[in-house]
Amino acid sequence: MIWEEKYIMLLWLSHLALTPFDLDSISTPAIRTAISVPTMVSPTEGLPTIAIRLVALGLHNISSVSKERDAAVSLLVRLSWRPDMQHLHLDHHLLQWVFSSLNNPVDNGAHASIYFYAGILSFLAGFLGSGDNQTVASYVVPIFKCTQAFIGSHFDTAIGILRSTVTRKLVIKILRSLAVHQLSLASVTGPTASSVDEGQDDDSDLLDLIFDHLLTCLADKDSPVRMTASKALSVITQKLEPEMTTQLVEDIFQRLQETTDPSGWHGLVLTLSHLLYRRSAPKSCLSTIIQLLIDALDFEQRSPTGTSLGGNVRDAACFGIWSVARKYSTADLLSLSVPKSQSRVRRHLLNSVIESLAAELVLTATLDPEGNIRRGASAALQELVGRHPDTVPSGISLIQIVDYHAVGLRSRAMDDVVFQAVALDKIYLDAIAEAILSWRTINSPICAVRRNAADVLGRLIGKYGVHPRTLPLWRPSEIDDTSTYQQRNGKSMDEWHGIYLAHAAFIGEGWFEQSSLVHQPYPLDHQLLLKEDSIFGPKDIKAYGKGAELAMEALCTMISACNSQSRPHVLLSRLKYHLGHLSLDTLITKLATVILESCFKHPAGDTTLNFVKTAAVSTVKSLDEPEKVLLVGSWLKDSHDGRNGQLRSGGSNVTLITVVGAALHQLMTSSVLDDFMKLQIDVLVTQLGLESSIDTKCAALIHLYLPVFNRTSSDCTHLKEQLKRPLVDCLSDHTIDSRGDIGSEVRIAAINVLSEATAWDDGFCHKVFGILYGLATEKLDKGINIVIDVTVALVPKLHTLASSKANNHTSLNPQDLERTAIYSTSRVSYFAFLFNLAQDSKSLLPLLRGFITTASLGTELLVRNTRIALLQHLNISSTAENSLIRETLVQIILSALPTPQPTQPSSTSSTRLLRPALETLAFILDNDTKPPSTNASYQHLLPSLKAVHASTDLPTLQALVNLYARFLDYDDLRSEVLVILHQLLLHRYPSIRLAAAGALCMGCDSEALRELDLDAEKGELRDGVKRVLNESRRVGVK
């Protein structure tokens, strides 16, 4: 029986156990059952048979691992509280069995599992929760003693069981029911109605022990246990006298002051929230509770790994404020004083506690890092405004803006909701403006949040005039005269990053230009900004370790802010006033030096690179024309190594090239730009000819070529000629590493240069047109569309291309390529059109270089369509044109062959074409309808192909054997090919020996070949091959 069926049947039986007449009246004679009742539940004399069977079923399923355990517990509880079963003392026998199981956990044998004890504890909790005070009175003390003994047991079994969250929750529920029953009995019969130890302790001792355990559970490591304990305390408090309730709340206050543990704070704050929800909190403590809830809204701690540990505390605080708004009247709240400590709004702006709570909820709903807390604060704010009308400034508009759904996305909450909220009232502006500088935003561990927060702060400054006077004097306390930047690495760099982004926001939004702030001290002294060991004067960015890029971003953001002022002289006068006696030249020199060091000494990611580039451009803009040229020229000159004149290598070149390329746009009107451009070409263009990284090549193409080629000065013509050859090389870059075809990034960058440059001459266009044809046939989909656009753009330069062929072909217009590619770049018509465009050897060679890679290494669809297009072109072309294609393929194979001399290695770009060229040539020979008149090119190729025999690339070797097999059909090549294939029978790879044998079987009839054992020993195999060769020469052709 599956558990669902057992659960439903047990649940049905528990309902039937509520029958209003005695079970004896519906019982039958004893029926033998496979399920027995434990001896401790005996004696069963007098119990109806049906009751015995129900008890047996309940006890059997009480240790189940699924929901039938709950149904079994419900069945036993309802049976034990039936009047006829109590008359027969079934409840007493069941409790005795429970006490025995809990007091002797090692004697339960196979039943001693966590599920067994969870069932027993569930029965106790259900038993206490279902009985009234009078019937439970005699069991309160025994159950408490048993539970206390189980909690304090030193048995390993009990200790292991109590590690479970479920069992600890059940213990709390049992203690809660005991306390409620005890308090109810005491209120009726007096304080000594029952005792823990008659004659010595009264019921206050029992309550003290229960309260002590529940308060301890408030700091449990598991949230469900803390939530259960807090709810239990709130339920018990409803039965307490006001004096005891006050003592309990004050005890919670004291624990909150003493603990810093997030779990403890969560349990204690949640307890206060439950007390507010049940209106159990004393009114005398209400003001303090609200202050603690406000403090809890700002609670945050992080684990050593950076995980947030304060979310539960803030969530409990939102629940507490929601409870205050829901359960207390407007008059009750207005009678309280405005909280004094930790207030984020100036107190003279607040008229009531309600306004203070509204401001706190607004900043929590917009700035908290966790979505559930933002939505919880929004719900609490809605309750506050709805339950207390006309007490919250612009309340209706506020809850429409700080909507539950609007604050779900953090970026939207910070960008849109914040500015709509602060426009409503000054108290919201003050709360958010200060909270922007807190751990939630500027000091967030997430870089994107810190940047967003700085942007929000800057907009608040520019639009509402927020300035440091309205905020506490805010400066990093970690900085002193002895601290050095080496100590501020790793995670501590996150805070520094946010700090300087905030100061950049103050400066960038014109804080210094506000006339009302001329004599106001700026909360950042010059020692923090400009001393040699601060972030603005580092000697080596790498010393920051993992925080190096954050340091670069913070530095560059401050530089950009300083240079963005519309009135730099006003800014400099303020800087001189606030930052000490510092001249313009000194400031610019320091900032430019830091940029240069950042560029050279540390590679930057894409995001950091943008900040560096922006800072460089803003710095260059602030200088006069001669100073611009001098500064950018110094960046280029310092990029050389003084010992050997070599360019620096590595990722830092990307930063350098990007910065110089961006700075060039600021020199477009310089009279010395041409000379400067020559220096630039001498230093950077050679990167494309060296073994530079792919990123460096891409950066040089993107940031260097276009500024040169788009200039119209006649003096730059000779400089442009130097750039053409590297650009052609980049179009043919097929560098491959473990990541794949990384050369595609260089090819695409070069294609983009071709598409955007406007100064190409006709000769160069003809030179690159064939390369573009080849790229248009490659299987790199993301590059094909760009190639097509560039090809169409270059068509006007090629006046002779649209000529007709001699064999009545129609006039070819390359612009038709664009229309053909619209449908698909993998169709047969697309490749056929490209073949028609290649009308001479200069354009055919690069076209075939790209075509054969698709025809051999592409997907099944591409291979099929490209080969169909090739056959169609061969069938409609003349014999001369067919011979040209074959000769071109032979030329590609010869250029791709490995060179025997180590000093002359084959290029990677050529070697990668060997296998595709061999397979394509074999395909043409296998489907040849117009054989050439002479095989001179093949005769020249055969001796060179022997260089491939030593290759370790099996697919290439198999393609070579396949080509040899096709050569057997040519009489003038047959004898030489047979010798080569016989030699391959001795190849070190078995698969190649087998392929060579298969090719020989197709070309000659040899009995010795059929009997040859290709797996024989080397000497025996050599003798067998000689016999095969001799027989082949003797027998001849089939």
Side-chain angles (χ1 to χ4, degrees):
M1 184 180 295
I2 61 176
W3 73 266
E4 290 93 342
E5 294 176 348
K6 294 174 65 177
Y7 171 67
I8 295 299
M9 295 184 70
L10 286 170
L11 193 61
W12 184 20
L13 288 174
S14 68
H15 291 323
L16 294 177
L18 297 175
T19 182
F21 39 82
D22 292 347
L23 294 180
D24 187 49
S25 63
I26 59 174
S27 183
T28 58
I31 299 177
R32 182 175 298 177
T33 177
I35 303 175
S36 60
V37 179
T39 56
M40 188 59 67
V41 183
S42 299
T44 59
E45 291 80 0
L47 284 177
T49 303
I50 190 172
I52 298 174
R53 296 177 63 190
L54 290 176
V55 170
L57 281 173
L59 295 179
H60 177 73
N61 290 280
I62 202 172
S63 59
S64 176
V65 299
S66 53
K67 285 183 66 66
E68 61 260 35
R69 180 178 69 246
D70 298 335
V73 168
S74 178
L75 174 61
L76 291 174
V77 169
R78 290 177 178 178
L79 275 176
S80 62
W81 283 118
R82 286 183 57 85
D84 55 342
M85 295 296 102
Q86 286 187 321
H87 179 72
L88 297 174
H89 307 292
L90 177 61
D91 53 346
H92 175 75
H93 295 308
L94 285 174
L95 286 178
Q96 290 301 317
W97 173 74
V98 168
F99 295 159
S100 175
S101 299
L102 292 178
N103 292 333
N104 302 284
V106 295
D107 296 335
N108 291 302
H111 296 287
S113 67
I114 186 175
Y115 306 106
F116 174 72
Y117 287 100
I120 291 177
L121 294 173
S122 296
F123 170 76
L124 276 181
F127 182 84
L128 291 171
S130 300
D132 55 44
N133 294 327
Q134 296 301 323
T135 53
V136 172
S138 59
Y139 299 122
V140 169
V141 174
I143 292 177
F144 175 75
K145 286 184 176 182
C146 178
T147 305
Q148 189 180 29
F150 181 72
I151 296 173
S153 175
H154 297 289
F155 291 110
D156 293 338
T157 303
I159 295 174
I161 292 169
L162 288 173
R163 291 195 183 102
S164 169
T165 301
V166 175
T167 55
R168 297 202 302 277
K169 286 177 58 179
L170 290 172
V171 168
I172 292 173
K173 291 180 180 180
I174 293 171
L175 295 178
R176 179 193 67 186
S177 299
L178 290 173
V180 170
H181 283 302
Q182 185 68 12
L183 288 171
S184 300
L185 290 170
S187 64
V188 176
T189 61
T192 58
S194 61
S195 61
V196 177
D197 187 1
E198 290 189 22
Q200 295 181 5
D201 301 318
D202 57 15
D203 57 338
S204 62
D205 293 325
L206 184 147
L207 293 176
D208 288 342
L209 292 173
I210 292 177
F211 277 124
D212 183 66
H213 180 78
L214 293 179
L215 289 172
T216 303
C217 289
L218 291 178
D220 193 276
K221 62 182 180 66
D222 293 322
S223 296
V225 177
R226 299 195 297 270
M227 296 171 68
T228 305
S230 62
K231 185 176 181 180
L233 280 171
S234 66
V235 171
I236 296 172
T237 305
Q238 290 182 303
K239 302 290 184 179
L240 291 177
E241 296 293 334
E243 295 80 5
M244 295 185 65
T245 303
T246 303
Q247 292 178 8
L248 175 62
V249 173
E250 290 178 351
D251 188 14
I252 293 175
F253 291 163
Q254 183 178 359
R255 288 173 181 261
L256 281 170
Q257 293 176 356
E258 295 174 351
T259 184
T260 59
D261 178 51
S263 299
W265 262 79
H266 175 233
L268 294 169
V269 172
L270 192 59
T271 302
L272 293 177
S273 300
H274 277 293
L275 291 175
L276 293 172
Y277 180 73
R278 300 178 187 277
R279 288 186 62 90
S280 300
K283 288 189 177 181
S284 59
C285 301
L286 192 58
S287 180
T288 306
I289 293 176
I290 291 177
Q291 179 59 60
L292 288 173
L293 293 177
I294 292 176
D295 295 343
L297 280 177
D298 196 41
F299 184 90
E300 174 64 359
Q301 285 188 17
R302 294 200 170 272
S303 68
T305 59
T307 305
S308 175
L309 302 177
N312 284 338
V313 180
R314 301 195 300 276
D315 186 61
C318 290
F319 171 57
I321 296 176
W322 178 87
S323 301
V324 168
R326 186 177 182 87
K327 297 297 182 178
Y328 290 85
S329 66
T330 303
D332 292 337
L333 297 181
L334 291 178
S335 64
L336 303 176
S337 59
V338 177
K340 298 180 180 180
S341 62
Q342 300 293 331
S343 178
R344 296 173 181 82
V345 187
R346 286 174 292 174
R347 297 188 68 225
H348 70 274
L349 296 176
L350 298 174
N351 298 319
S352 65
V353 170
I354 298 178
E355 291 187 1
S356 177
L357 291 175
E360 298 294 338
L361 290 174
V362 166
L363 68 89
T364 301
T366 54
L367 302 180
D368 198 275
E370 298 188 21
N372 65 312
I373 297 174
R374 293 195 300 273
R375 285 175 165 163
S378 174
L381 180 64
Q382 184 176 359
E383 193 73 21
L384 186 68
V385 173
R387 297 280 180 176
H388 309 282
D390 301 326
T391 57
V392 177
S394 305
I396 300 300
S397 300
L398 184 64
I399 61 174
Q400 291 175 343
I401 293 171
V402 190
D403 180 67
Y404 180 88
H405 300 287
V407 299
L409 188 62
R410 189 177 188 183
S411 58
R412 180 184 177 188
M414 290 184 64
D415 291 337
D416 300 336
V417 180
V418 160
F419 286 94
Q420 296 179 49
V422 299
L424 296 178
D425 196 272
K426 182 69 173 176
I427 64 172
Y428 309 133
L429 175 63
D430 274 10
I432 290 177
E434 181 180 351
I436 285 290
L437 300 176
S438 69
W439 60 268
R440 290 184 176 98
T441 47
I442 285 296
N443 290 333
S444 171
I446 304 174
C447 292
V449 174
R450 296 196 294 269
R451 298 185 190 111
N452 197 8
D455 177 68
V456 171
L457 180 60
R459 290 159 62 188
L460 289 176
I461 295 170
K463 187 172 183 179
Y464 297 102
V466 176
H467 53 79
R469 184 178 180 181
T470 63
L471 306 173
L473 191 61
W474 186 75
R475 65 178 66 186
S477 59
E478 292 82 1
I479 293 296
D480 54 35
D481 294 336
T482 61
S483 63
T484 60
Y485 71 94
Q486 289 92 341
Q487 297 171 345
R488 302 192 300 275
N489 54 14
K491 294 178 184 177
S492 62
M493 202 61 222
D494 291 345
E495 183 178 0
W496 275 95
H497 178 249
I499 288 173
Y500 281 101
L501 290 182
H503 288 297
F506 281 122
I507 297 174
E509 292 296 331
W511 185 87
F512 288 104
E513 297 185 12
Q514 300 181 31
S515 58
S516 61
L517 302 176
V518 172
H519 300 293
Q520 297 298 330
Y522 184 70
L524 184 67
D525 57 35
H526 68 282
Q527 293 297 327
L528 290 177
L529 281 174
L530 300 172
K531 68 179 183 179
E532 289 301 318
D533 62 347
S534 76
I535 190 174
F536 274 74
K539 297 301 182 182
D540 187 2
I541 283 289
K542 293 182 179 179
Y544 287 101
K546 295 181 180 180
E549 288 205 37
L550 294 179
M552 293 172 65
E553 178 184 338
L555 159 69
C556 295
T557 303
M558 183 67 82
I559 292 172
S560 301
C562 293
N563 289 323
S564 66
Q565 295 299 305
S566 58
R567 293 179 299 208
H569 295 294
V570 177
L571 167 65
L572 292 170
S573 64
R574 299 288 194 278
L575 285 173
K576 185 174 181 179
Y577 176 79
H578 294 296
L579 304 180
H581 301 287
L582 185 64
S583 65
L584 170 63
D585 296 338
T586 304
L587 177 63
I588 295 297
T589 300
K590 279 186 171 292
L591 300 182
T593 301
V594 173
I595 289 181
L596 182 61
E597 293 297 323
S598 300
C599 292
F600 284 139
K601 294 189 176 182
H602 197 278
D606 293 339
T607 302
T608 307
L609 187 59
N610 290 331
F611 286 104
V612 175
K613 181 173 66 175
T614 302
V617 171
S618 64
T619 302
V620 173
K621 278 184 178 180
S622 65
L623 299 175
D624 296 332
E625 199 68 20
E627 295 174 332
K628 291 180 181 179
V629 176
L630 182 62
L631 179 60
V632 180
S634 67
W635 290 345
L636 283 175
K637 292 177 182 178
D638 290 344
S639 66
H640 285 81
D641 184 39
R643 293 174 297 174
N644 51 23
Q646 296 293 322
L647 286 170
R648 296 179 183 266
S649 61
S652 58
N653 277 335
V654 177
T655 308
L656 175 62
I657 294 172
T658 303
V659 168
V660 174
L664 277 177
H665 293 284
Q666 309 304 320
L667 303 176
M668 297 304 289
T669 59
S670 174
S671 59
V672 294
L673 182 59
D674 293 342
D675 294 337
F676 180 78
M677 200 169 290
K678 182 179 184 303
L679 174 62
Q680 180 189 6
I681 292 174
D682 291 340
V683 174
L684 294 178
V685 172
T686 47
Q687 290 284 350
L688 302 178
L690 297 175
E691 294 296 330
S692 300
S693 66
I694 295 297
D695 293 337
T696 301
K697 291 182 179 181
C698 292
L701 287 168
I702 295 171
H703 301 288
L704 177 65
Y705 272 81
L706 292 180
V708 175
F709 271 91
N710 289 336
R711 281 187 57 80
T712 58
S713 174
S714 58
D715 297 334
C716 297
T717 304
H718 67 286
L719 298 177
K720 298 177 184 178
E721 294 297 326
Q722 302 178 31
L723 297 176
K724 291 181 179 179
R725 182 59 195 174
L727 183 60
V728 172
D729 294 338
C730 289
L731 287 172
S732 304
D733 192 318
H734 290 84
T735 304
I736 298 176
D737 65 0
S738 58
R739 295 173 290 174
D741 183 15
I742 59 174
S744 62
E745 299 180 9
V746 179
R747 298 198 300 274
I748 293 176
I751 294 169
N752 286 323
V753 169
L754 282 174
S755 65
E756 297 181 20
T758 59
W760 303 117
D761 56 79
D762 293 352
F764 185 74
C765 290
H766 278 282
K767 186 175 183 179
V768 301
F769 210 69
I771 301 177
L772 293 177
Y773 281 162
L775 295 176
T777 61
E778 287 188 349
K779 58 189 178 75
L780 183 65
D781 295 337
K782 64 181 180 180
I784 289 179
N785 294 329
I786 304 175
V787 171
I788 293 171
D789 295 338
V790 175
T791 304
V792 173
L794 292 180
V795 165
K797 297 285 186 180
L798 307 174
H799 304 294
T800 62
L801 186 64
S803 61
S804 299
K805 291 189 176 182
N807 56 354
N808 296 326
H809 283 186
T810 58
S811 179
L812 298 175
N813 185 357
Q815 288 182 336
D816 293 337
L817 178 64
E818 185 176 29
R819 292 190 291 272
T820 304
I822 288 176
Y823 300 101
S824 174
T825 57
S826 62
R827 294 164 62 101
V828 175
S829 58
Y830 172 76
F831 294 105
F833 190 88
L834 288 174
F835 266 114
N836 291 333
L837 288 178
Q839 301 181 32
D840 53 26
S841 59
K842 291 184 179 180
S843 58
L844 183 61
L845 177 61
L847 173 63
L848 286 178
R849 284 178 177 269
F851 179 86
I852 61 177
T853 59
T854 305
S856 176
L857 306 177
T859 61
E860 182 180 356
L861 175 65
L862 281 176
V863 171
R864 181 173 64 249
N865 289 347
T866 51
R867 293 188 175 187
I868 291 174
L870 176 60
L871 289 179
Q872 290 178 354
H873 181 75
L874 291 174
N875 289 333
I876 65 175
S877 300
S878 64
T879 303
E881 292 174 338
N882 287 354
S883 298
L884 179 60
I885 292 178
R886 292 181 176 86
E887 291 173 359
T888 304
L889 284 173
V890 171
Q891 181 182 350
I892 294 174
I893 293 174
L894 290 173
S895 63
L897 291 174
T899 57
Q901 294 84 4
T903 58
Q904 299 178 357
S906 299
S907 65
T908 304
S909 177
S910 298
T911 305
R912 71 181 182 88
L913 299 176
L914 180 56
R915 175 192 166 192
L918 292 172
E919 291 181 349
T920 304
L921 182 57
F923 174 77
I924 292 176
L925 296 179
D926 200 29
N927 299 273
D928 200 354
T929 58
K930 297 179 180 179
S933 57
T934 177
N935 297 320
S937 60
Y938 300 154
Q939 292 174 348
H940 176 67
L941 176 64
L942 275 177
S944 302
L945 290 178
K946 294 181 180 180
V948 186
H949 294 182
S951 173
T952 58
D953 186 13
L954 283 177
T956 301
L957 290 170
Q958 291 172 345
L960 178 62
V961 174
N962 189 29
L963 180 61
Y964 283 147
R966 302 302 177 269
F967 281 156
L968 289 174
D969 296 333
Y970 295 88
D971 295 338
D972 51 349
L973 302 176
R974 181 180 179 81
S975 60
E976 186 176 356
V977 172
L978 283 175
V979 174
I980 294 175
L981 287 175
H982 281 85
Q983 292 174 353
L984 289 176
L985 290 176
L986 297 172
H987 200 275
R988 55 178 173 169
Y989 292 136
S991 60
I992 303 304
R993 297 197 297 268
L994 183 62
L1000 286 172
C1001 289
M1002 296 172 58
C1004 62
D1005 185 10
S1006 173
E1007 184 68 24
L1009 180 61
R1010 289 193 292 270
E1011 297 176 354
L1012 180 64
D1013 183 8
L1014 296 176
D1015 295 327
E1017 296 293 335
K1018 187 174 182 180
E1020 182 181 351
L1021 180 61
R1022 185 181 294 108
D1023 295 338
V1025 170
K1026 288 181 180 180
R1027 290 194 297 271
V1028 172
L1029 181 58
N1030 293 333
E1031 182 178 349
S1032 299
R1033 289 172 178 173
R1034 183 175 64 256
V1035 175
V1037 183
K1038 292 192 291 183

